[in-house]
Amino acid sequence: MDLGIAGKRALVCASSKGLGRGCAEALAAAGVNLVMNARGAEALEATAADIRAAHGVEVVTVAADITSEAGRAEVLAAAGDVDILVTNAGGPPPGMWSDWERADFIAALDANMLTPIALMKALLPGMMDRGWGRVVNITSQSVKSPIAVLGLSNAARAGLTGYVAGTSRQVAGSGVVINNLLPGIHATDRAVSLDTGAAKAQGLTLEEARDQRAATIPAGRYGTAAEFGATCVFMCSQHAGYMIGQNILLDGGAMNSTM
Ligand code: NAP
């Protein structure tokens, strides 16, 4: 299928590894030039080099913390007029509802709600002026099906989801399409860190903890970054023009619900 976006320019945040990298690779395979970001320069440069070599697209890199105001300013200055925005950042730490203080919530809201909102606020006007744009926010399955120990994530991402529900309908008439992509468990560093915690708590090996979790998923396995990227690039394509303000869940069937 021709996705119709070759030659466009995308900013993919937090993309040196994991799901962000999967999205960057899929966009590059569709001929999209990239602005990629992560805090660590080494992994970012290595990923950018791999993508340039594999797909021959232009890749600009910005090593910066996307959740800080200074980092965002640096990224936005390098990005310029982008047609496609994929927002992403690390997730908040797990914990217990009774331990979280105001400062913990402010940090989670900053990273996983106010950062994507600030990026959209900066880039939507240009997309609207040009009459075309695509935004995919990487959120989490926890928006639809709460994960109690990730209460900070549940709260911040639900706030972003509410913002997107309204804003996506305000900009749709200008050719700008905003949706959220909700990962269930995927085989990335984040999953290794979650499984390491579970293994420690239950006295299991990492492999046992992973197998135990995989057995709870109807698909019987973790998702891959490549599958995630393939869905993301479709949501950034010409074909997604009538998909407005949706929350697309990729969880191997883990959430048991009829709709
Ligand atoms: P990952 O494998 O740990 O990769 C995270 C990527 O983001 C790395 O490239 C990292 O590079 C970059 N990054 C992290 N914090 C950043 C920041 N403040 N500024 C710029 N770059 C940053 O994580 P992932 O599994 O891809 O997860 C991506 C998002 O999806 C997270 O918010 C996670 O909570 C959510 N999620 C993941 C899963 C899953 O199963 N994997 C499930 C549900 C939700 P640097 O460290 O060098 O900055």
Side-chain angles (χ1 to χ4, degrees):
M1 183 192 284
D2 178 6
L3 295 174
I5 50 175
K8 295 215 180 272
R9 182 175 166 88
L11 166 58
V12 187
C13 303
S15 56
S16 65
K17 299 177 186 169
L19 304 179
R21 176 176 179 154
C23 295
E25 286 188 357
L27 285 161
V32 174
N33 297 311
L34 300 175
V35 180
M36 294 180 63
N37 151 260
R39 291 164 304 181
E42 201 177 318
L44 180 62
E45 292 307 334
T47 300
D50 287 352
I51 290 179
R52 283 186 203 105
H55 304 291
V57 295
E58 181 189 304
V59 183
V60 172
T61 54
V62 188
D65 183 345
I66 197 68
T67 67
S68 74
E69 215 167 311
R72 270 194 306 280
E74 220 181 305
V75 170
L76 286 168
D81 287 340
V82 294
D83 309 294
I84 295 168
L85 165 66
V86 179
T87 73
N88 187 28
M96 183 66 184
W97 64 269
S98 48
D99 295 332
W100 294 319
E101 302 294 346
R102 178 179 164 77
D104 301 307
F105 281 99
I106 296 296
L109 293 173
D110 254 341
N112 298 109
M113 177 183 168
L114 298 176
T115 289
I117 288 175
L119 291 165
M120 282 187 267
K121 192 170 178 215
L123 295 172
L124 288 177
M127 294 180 187
M128 293 167 77
D129 285 348
R130 294 187 297 278
W132 197 95
R134 297 286 184 266
V135 179
V136 173
N137 299 294
I138 299 179
T139 65
S140 173
Q141 153 196 0
S142 69
V143 170
K144 284 188 187 252
S145 177
I147 302 167
V149 294
L150 293 178
L152 294 171
S153 168
N154 300 340
R157 297 187 200 274
L160 173 63
T161 305
Y163 172 87
V164 166
T167 305
S168 61
R169 288 166 170 89
Q170 287 181 309
V171 303
S174 302
V176 178
V177 169
I178 312 179
N179 292 290
N180 303 319
L181 185 49
L182 285 54
I185 195 80
H186 281 69
T188 68
D189 288 356
R190 170 84 170 168
V192 172
S193 114
L194 292 174
D195 286 340
T196 302
K200 219 167 159 185
Q202 298 171 59
L204 303 171
T205 65
L206 180 58
E207 201 176 20
E208 285 166 344
R210 193 181 299 132
D211 288 349
Q212 199 177 71
R213 194 195 295 270
T216 67
I217 302 167
R221 63 175 177 87
Y222 288 11
T224 67
E227 289 171 316
F228 193 83
T231 304
C232 177
V233 76
F234 175 80
M235 293 166 75
C236 297
S237 76
Q238 296 292 355
H239 308 296
Y242 206 52
M243 182 194 282
I244 304 296
Q246 298 303 298
N247 291 283
I248 307 299
L249 180 62
L250 275 190
D251 71 343
M255 189 179 109
N256 192 33
S257 97
T258 304
M259 284 198 281

